[in-house]
């Protein structure tokens, strides 16, 4: 295999995090390269959300270092370059879908211009919600809410997209549709993506590399490269094999 | 709908008839009936001065409530950002405004400001502050932190988050504070004007009373009642249906 020089976007070294007496992260290390799709896979409660919150500067780390483009200094520019999709859609219930998407721009820049109408429409059409621009969140299904949240994350044209189990709780069909859609957008927009999940199949289907996390106190158990060509076939036997391999890593313990 | 209107009309007519019969029975200038009251009421509305007095009182209610809403909103929201503010509001500001009767404020302000706009306005302000504090506290307690966290991923500018995410979440609470405050303000403004002003509905009530023109006391009272009803059922209901729908989940 030829060695391609890839640019490192994010490196995490020796991450420790406690909540009181509860040690959640106990020396977590990994890195992410430019344009990569990374899945962080681990059992419920192992600290996946905590890792994302630390990366997004929503929580402090107790020990450890985060490097952005090889630089430890975290600038405002870094935050501008990053968007988060949460497990719950977190839409403002008094705003329509379109206004919710616009919110990200209003928050980031303080004001929106006429040109932004176009950007908002583009983000909405990207996730297939153009027809629902004037709907309120409570009028949407779970899948559509997540589409709206995705549009809100995309409208600022981030280069790093963090997703925290965005598809958990959706029915299988919606999940698979959205998985494909997220992959399509990631590819089209040339983003670096970190996607958190507790579902091995989802991780294998989506990721370039899977960061398998252990139970609490959490370490990186293994980093798996998924070298299947895209677009992947869900029925591919190698996906099944990888899934079995991952499930064996956790023994008989259920991941969910 | 038809039945509703019928019952309302019936109840109002019954009230007027009862009033008419009782006042007719006593037949005293100290208990004017609906006819005399209506006559005085329309004679008030027929003069520019009548409208001026009503206007002055409305102005005081408006300014007093607005002032109270600013102070009350600050005292309700600041505790979210500062422990110092929280304890100041909790142990000084709120108890102070909550416990002191409006009449005491009026008397104090008369001493300080004499017969002027300031007396009724500040009395209203003092009276409505606790309603804003208590409602906004409730609102701040109920804030959806997950939405605020989401906003923090978009900006580090806390003022923007306050304006775009936190304040809108508090609108329903501010709205209900305005509704309650408005009713309270109308009661306090009359008190303030009786003791501390040289014009306004309260002042006119006082003069009418001094010369035993009880039909005018009734007529001015009717003015107050009508204004409150118009605002409460008309304006607030309208705002509620037109603008607050978005906030009802
Ligand atoms: N703010 C917090 N305070 C106290 N404990 C927390 C907090 N956030 C998370 N935890 C705990 O840390 C552990 C990991 O949480 P989380 O990162 O949400 O896990 P995951 O997303 O992998 O399910 C859980 O046991 C949770 O109870
Ligand atoms: Mg989680």
């Amino acid at each position: 295999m030829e060695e391609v020089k890839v640019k490192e976007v994010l490196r995490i070294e020796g991450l420790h995090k406690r909540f009181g007496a509860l040690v959640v992260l106990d020396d977590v290390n990994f890195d992410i390269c430019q344009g990569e799709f990374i899945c962080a896979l681990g059992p419920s409660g192992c600290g996946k959300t905590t890792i994302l919150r630390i990366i997004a500067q929503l929580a402090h780390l107790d020990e450890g270092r985060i490097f952005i483009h090889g630089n430890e200094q975290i600038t405002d520019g870094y935050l501008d370059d990053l968007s988060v999709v949460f497990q719950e859609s977190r839409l403002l219930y008094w705003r329509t879908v379109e206004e919710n998407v616009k919110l990200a721009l209003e928050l980031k820049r303080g004001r929106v211009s006429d040109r932004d109408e176009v950007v908002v429409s583009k983000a909405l059409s990207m996730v297939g919600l153009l027809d629902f621009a004037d709907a309120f969140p409570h009028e949407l299904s779970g899948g559509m809410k997540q589409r709206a949240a995705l549009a809100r994350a995309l409208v600022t044209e981030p280069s790093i997209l963090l997703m925290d189990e965005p598809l958990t709780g959706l029915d299988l069909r919606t999940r698979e549709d959205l998985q494909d859609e997220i992959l399509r957008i990631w590819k089209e927009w040339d983003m670096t993506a970190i996607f958190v999940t507790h579902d091995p199949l989802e991780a294998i289907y989506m990721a370039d590399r899977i960061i398998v996390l252990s139970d609490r106190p959490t370490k990186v158990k293994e980093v798996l490269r998924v070298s299947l060509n895209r677009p992947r076939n869900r029925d591919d036997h190698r996906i099944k094999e990888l899934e079995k391999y991952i499930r064996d890593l956790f023994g008989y313990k259920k991941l969910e | 709908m038809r039945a509703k209107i019928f019952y309302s009309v019936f109840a109002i007519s019954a009230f007027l008839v009862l009033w008419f019969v009782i006042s007719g029975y006593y037949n005293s200038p100290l208990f004017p009936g609906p006819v005399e009251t209506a006559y005085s009421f329309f004679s008030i509305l027929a003069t520019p001065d009548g409208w001026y007095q009503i206007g002055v009182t409305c102005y005081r209610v408006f300014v007093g409530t607005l002032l109270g809403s600013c102070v009350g909103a600050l005292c309700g929201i600041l505790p979210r950002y500062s422990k110092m503010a929280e304890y100041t509001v909790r142990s000084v500001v709120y108890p102070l405004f909550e416990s002191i009767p409006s009449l005491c404020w009026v008397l104090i302000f008369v001493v300080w400001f004499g017969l002027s706009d300031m007396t009724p306005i500040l009395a209203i302000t003092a009276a409505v502050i606790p309603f804003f504090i208590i409602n906004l506290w409730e609102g701040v307690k109920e804030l959806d932190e997950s939405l605020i966290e989401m906003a923090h991923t978009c900006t580090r500018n806390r003022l923007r988050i306050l304006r775009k995410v936190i304040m809108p979440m508090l609108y329903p609470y501010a709205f209900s504070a305005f509704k309650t405050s408005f009713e309270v303000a109308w009661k306090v403004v009359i008190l303030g004007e009786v003791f501390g002003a040289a014009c306004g509905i309260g002042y006119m009530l006082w003069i009418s009373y001094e010369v035993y023109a009880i039909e005018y006391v009734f007529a001015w009272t009717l003015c107050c009642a009508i204004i409150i009803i118009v605002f409460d059922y008309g304006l607030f209901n309208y705002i509620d249906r037109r603008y607050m729908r978005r906030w009802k989940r």
Side-chain angles (χ1 to χ4, degrees):
Chain A
M1 215 175 103
E2 73 176 304
E3 195 64 27
V4 194
K5 192 80 192 138
V6 276
K7 232 172 81 196
E8 169 194 285
V9 173
L10 196 71
R11 186 163 87 247
I12 284 165
E13 277 185 15
L15 200 57
H16 286 258
K17 179 75 181 175
R18 289 176 290 275
F19 291 110
L22 182 79
V23 179
V24 178
L25 304 180
D26 181 27
D27 195 21
V28 170
N29 301 280
F30 60 89
D31 56 34
I32 297 149
C33 296
Q34 178 79 52
E36 229 186 347
F37 200 110
I38 287 282
C39 279
L41 175 73
S44 217
C46 77
K48 304 181 294 294
T49 299
T50 304
I51 294 175
L52 279 200
R53 294 186 71 237
I54 290 173
I55 295 177
Q57 301 281 293
L58 293 172
H60 293 289
L61 40 76
D62 291 333
E63 275 171 54
R65 311 210 284 175
I66 298 181
F67 296 88
I68 318 296
H69 298 295
N71 194 342
E72 206 177 345
Q73 210 69 36
I74 287 178
T75 59
D76 285 350
Y78 159 68
L79 274 193
D80 283 349
D81 232 18
L82 173 150
S83 283
V84 187
V85 181
F86 297 92
Q87 183 169 346
E88 327 80 38
S89 49
R90 304 198 184 183
L91 300 167
L92 306 187
Y93 47 86
W94 61 91
R95 285 182 176 231
T96 61
V97 167
E98 185 178 13
E99 290 165 345
N100 263 290
V101 174
K102 208 180 278 170
L103 175 81
L105 293 174
E106 290 170 17
L107 286 173
K108 203 152 271 191
R109 307 217 200 100
R111 67 169 73 178
V112 289
S113 62
D114 290 342
R115 199 192 77 87
D116 291 323
E117 305 284 333
V118 184
V119 183
V120 170
S121 301
K122 189 175 148 209
L124 281 174
S125 72
M126 202 40 123
V127 300
L129 268 190
L130 216 43
D131 291 341
F132 292 87
D134 294 326
F136 283 94
H138 67 88
E139 297 166 327
L140 304 180
S141 68
M144 278 150 80
K145 278 185 196 156
Q146 285 306 66
R147 283 172 192 271
L150 190 60
R152 181 182 58 201
L154 293 172
V155 76
T156 53
E157 304 183 356
S159 65
I160 305 174
L161 184 60
L162 306 181
M163 292 167 278
D164 185 10
E165 307 201 35
L167 309 183
T168 300
L170 302 180
D171 62 86
L172 188 65
R173 238 199 77 107
T174 315
R175 265 184 96 132
E176 294 188 347
D177 284 351
L178 272 166
Q179 285 169 0
D180 289 330
E181 211 127 322
I182 289 171
L183 286 174
R184 196 198 82 227
I185 295 167
W186 160 73
K187 189 134 209 168
E188 216 164 294
W189 285 29
D190 196 23
M191 286 183 290
T192 307
I194 308 181
F195 187 102
V196 161
T197 178
H198 61 247
D199 176 5
L201 266 181
E202 186 167 70
I204 298 161
Y205 183 69
M206 301 192 79
D208 291 323
R209 279 189 303 148
I210 304 174
I211 298 179
V212 186
L213 299 165
S214 70
D215 239 329
R216 263 197 333 259
T218 304
K219 291 186 194 321
V220 176
K221 236 179 162 65
E222 192 166 333
V223 178
L224 279 174
R225 180 170 291 281
V226 185
S227 40
L228 303 173
N229 289 336
R230 299 174 190 275
R232 292 173 184 168
N233 180 355
R234 289 176 202 280
D235 301 323
D236 194 324
H237 67 96
R238 285 171 298 180
I239 288 188
K240 297 276 175 343
E241 281 161 18
L242 262 174
E243 186 198 4
K244 181 167 183 319
Y245 174 78
I246 290 174
R247 288 201 183 272
D248 286 345
L249 274 180
F250 287 97
Y252 287 103
K253 229 182 80 56
K254 262 185 73 174
L255 269 163
E256 285 76 41
Chain B
M1 189 60 203
R2 232 156 220 272
K4 253 196 213 160
I5 293 175
F6 173 76
Y7 285 125
S8 305
V9 170
F10 179 77
I12 293 169
S13 320
F15 169 74
L16 289 175
V17 168
L18 195 69
W19 181 9
F20 185 78
V21 169
I22 295 176
S23 67
Y25 173 80
Y26 284 107
N27 192 23
S28 148
L30 297 186
F31 191 173
V35 180
E36 293 89 338
T37 305
Y39 180 79
S40 315
F41 176 70
F42 286 112
S43 71
I44 289 171
L45 296 190
T47 61
D49 184 64
W51 287 100
Y52 169 73
Q53 307 296 350
I54 294 170
V56 163
T57 300
C58 288
Y59 159 76
R60 289 167 179 162
V61 166
F62 185 71
V63 175
T65 310
L66 212 62
L67 224 59
S69 72
C70 296
V71 179
L74 271 180
C75 295
I77 297 174
L78 275 184
R80 188 185 146 79
Y81 295 97
S82 137
K83 273 269 172 275
M84 183 66 208
E86 175 173 355
Y87 287 109
T88 311
V89 174
R90 243 177 227 294
S91 50
V92 182
V93 182
Y94 181 71
L96 187 76
F97 288 108
E98 151 80 340
S99 62
I100 296 182
S102 292
L103 185 56
C104 302
W105 286 117
V106 171
L107 294 180
I108 293 168
F109 292 142
V110 171
V111 172
W112 288 350
F113 304 110
L115 305 184
S116 77
D117 273 352
M118 286 308 261
T119 303
I121 286 177
L122 290 182
I124 292 169
T125 304
V128 302
I129 282 174
F131 292 101
F132 281 95
I133 296 183
I134 206 106
N135 270 289
L136 288 170
W137 258 347
E138 180 70 21
V140 166
K141 250 196 340 221
E142 301 285 319
L143 282 177
D144 187 340
E145 295 293 338
S146 77
L147 297 183
I148 298 169
E149 188 185 72
M150 179 276 296
H152 272 286
T153 65
C154 296
T155 181
R156 287 189 172 178
N157 188 327
R158 286 164 158 267
L159 197 65
R160 271 182 215 159
I161 295 177
L162 183 71
R163 272 183 39 227
K164 303 276 177 189
V165 181
I166 297 181
M167 293 222 312
M169 269 196 264
L170 296 175
Y171 285 168
Y173 298 90
F175 180 68
S176 76
F178 265 111
K179 245 169 98 165
T180 321
S181 295
F182 184 74
E183 282 161 25
V184 171
W186 269 97
K187 286 164 192 161
V188 175
V189 78
I190 301 301
L191 200 65
E193 288 177 342
V194 164
F195 290 97
C199 57
I201 296 177
Y203 174 74
M204 296 313 287
L205 267 168
W206 177 248
I207 306 214
S208 310
Y209 164 79
E210 289 244 282
V211 300
Y212 282 102
I214 305 303
E215 70 277 13
Y216 275 94
V217 172
F218 274 38
W220 284 110
T221 307
L222 185 62
C223 274
C224 288
I226 288 176
I227 294 172
I228 293 180
I229 288 171
V230 165
F231 270 83
D232 204 32
Y233 286 78
L235 186 70
F236 283 112
N237 248 340
Y238 174 76
I239 296 176
D240 194 32
R241 263 178 310 188
R242 181 76 207 281
Y243 297 102
M244 301 312 287
R245 270 232 325 264
R246 290 176 156 230
W247 274 264
K248 298 200 174 95
R249 279 188 272 189

